[in-house]
């Protein structure tokens, strides 16, 4: 898969709040599909589909452990997304600097 296709898959996977919540849970360690499904009011097959999207985007891998296949977070796609966003840092830094200057000229936010 090309770098652009990987980035597209990463953003498509991150576009869904359920998938972002699954990634947040996996940031704390491995989990089974059943454990990942606990906080959601959806069927196990629906959660499995979300996990499959995350797997296809490279965010999640599974390993076999007895009868279980725990999911594990993979950081590489997150690094790619962060690197892509970093190229725009100068834009928001410049805007924040301009806002700070405008606030300083106008006396800053009023204290209540």
């Amino acid at each position: 898969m090309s770098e652009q296709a990987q980035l597209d898959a990463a953003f498509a996977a991150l576009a869904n709040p359920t998938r972002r919540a699954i990634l947040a849970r996996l940031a704390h360690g491995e989990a089974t599909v059943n454990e990942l499904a606990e906080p959601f009011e959806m069927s196990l097959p629906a959660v499995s589909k979300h996990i499959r999207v995350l797997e296809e985007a490279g965010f999640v891998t599974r390993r076999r452990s007895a009868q279980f296949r725990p999911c594990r977070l993979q950081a590489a796609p997150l690094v790619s997304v962060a690197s892509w966003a970093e190229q725009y840092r100068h834009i928001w830094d410049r805007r924040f600097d301009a806002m700070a200057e405008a606030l300083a000229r106008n006396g800053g936010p009023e204290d209540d």
Side-chain angles (χ1 to χ4, degrees), residues 16-107:
N16 183 280
T18 299
R19 292 192 287 268
R20 291 192 305 270
I22 290 170
L23 290 179
R25 166 53 186 87
L26 290 174
H28 297 286
E30 286 186 345
T32 64
V33 173
N34 286 335
E35 291 169 335
L36 292 172
E38 284 176 8
F40 304 108
E41 293 183 16
M42 65 177 67
S43 68
L44 222 46
V47 172
S48 291
K49 285 182 183 181
H50 284 294
I51 292 169
R52 198 168 318 118
V53 170
L54 291 169
E55 282 182 299
E56 290 169 1
F59 284 107
V60 171
T61 58
R62 293 190 210 195
R63 65 176 181 82
R64 182 156 307 279
S65 175
Q67 72 270 28
F68 300 105
R69 293 192 65 212
C71 299
R72 174 180 285 169
L73 179 66
Q74 296 299 309
L78 294 171
V79 171
S80 296
V81 168
S83 295
W84 178 86
E86 183 64 31
Q87 69 183 331
Y88 299 102
R89 177 181 288 279
H90 69 280
I91 295 169
W92 69 74
D93 282 345
R94 191 173 27 200
R95 290 181 182 174
F96 284 135
D97 290 345
M99 182 175 67
E101 289 172 14
L103 288 171
R105 278 194 309 273
N106 295 321

